[in-house]
Amino acid sequence: MTGFDGLAAATGLDGARADLRPVPDALPEGTPLAFELVAGAPGMAEDAVTAALDRLAGGRAWRLAGLRPYRMPVGATCWGAACRGAPARPDPDLDLARWVPFDAPGTMTPEEVSALIAAWLDRHAAHADLFPGRLAAAALMPAPGRGGPDPYWDPAAQVVEARGDGPDGRGPGTFAVSLRSGRAYRLHPRLVPAVTALAGGDPRALAGLPERARERVLGELTRAGVVRSRA
């Protein structure tokens, strides 16, 4: 977030305001909420950032998980405040530039951002329990059903049909493929509907299989890196 006036009024990286009050209502009681604050966004003055830090650090229902400088991505437009002219082009000396400089009223300078972050970390980092890297993402998973933890499909996996030789070189077929690991598992034709349903978000899609068959299939899918366990 780039601003935080409370759960009812949080500002995202794109400048959009959001009411986050429905989030804790949708979570099991006691589930922690963690936020990363990004300092130096367009139109976000130092007092607003400091106030957001105080609210995040003092909340009982949430915690501050990260603090870093704002960077405007290449191709973005200025939001939340009127920029003084279009964002500048990336430095031509940078081969893989990802950010562009910008100038907006009521915005902290890079030096002010660095000083604020250094001062805040010096005073609070020891008890704020910040993550050492960026807070990348959070996910909500359905609670495990009876009979042990349910499997869930890895977001970096896909069920694909090979019309020529498949990854195993044994001709056409349907495979569960992990884009993360590069491994693949050839699916028996009778398993394709169930595994496709599992990939579509149904954690109980394999519940109808005999126990031994289910354990064997889950073992193969786990080894291929396409299925994980919530245990």
Side-chain angles (χ1 to χ4, degrees):
M1 302 181 301
T2 56
F4 185 71
D5 294 325
L7 289 179
T11 306
L13 286 174
D14 60 356
R17 301 271 282 186
D19 183 351
L20 302 181
R21 287 175 294 183
V23 175
D25 294 339
L27 296 171
E29 186 176 357
T31 301
L33 294 178
F35 297 98
E36 181 182 46
L37 188 68
V38 182
M44 301 299 290
E46 183 171 351
D47 57 350
V49 177
T50 301
L53 278 169
D54 291 339
R55 294 186 185 100
L56 288 169
R60 295 184 178 180
W62 56 76
R63 56 170 288 209
L64 179 68
L67 177 61
R68 64 180 172 90
Y70 174 82
R71 299 285 185 265
M72 179 172 283
V74 171
T77 56
C78 215
W79 54 265
C83 285
R84 297 189 180 101
R89 294 184 178 181
D91 187 333
D93 294 331
L94 300 177
D95 293 333
L96 297 174
R98 298 172 61 193
W99 323 115
V100 291
F102 66 94
D103 185 16
T107 302
M108 300 175 65
T109 66
E111 294 76 19
E112 290 171 338
V113 170
S114 297
L116 180 143
I117 291 177
W120 197 92
L121 293 178
D122 185 55
R123 291 194 303 268
H124 302 288
H127 54 80
D129 192 25
L130 302 181
F131 290 122
R134 290 185 179 181
L135 183 62
L140 300 180
M141 296 295 179
R146 57 181 177 83
D150 291 330
Y152 72 90
W153 193 262
D154 189 298
Q158 187 77 34
V159 175
V160 298
E161 182 179 356
R163 297 184 179 181
D165 277 347
D168 58 1
R170 294 193 289 113
T174 302
F175 295 82
V177 179
S178 170
L179 304 180
R180 196 187 307 275
S181 69
R183 294 190 294 272
Y185 172 57
R186 178 183 286 268
L187 299 173
H188 189 283
R190 286 182 292 182
L191 289 175
V192 171
V195 175
T196 300
L198 182 64
D202 180 4
R204 305 294 290 169
L206 305 183
L209 297 178
E211 184 177 354
R212 283 191 175 183
R214 181 177 182 273
E215 291 179 355
R216 179 179 57 80
V217 172
L218 281 177
E220 294 292 346
L221 293 174
T222 300
R223 280 188 286 274
V226 300
V227 157
R228 298 183 180 185
S229 172
R230 296 190 183 93

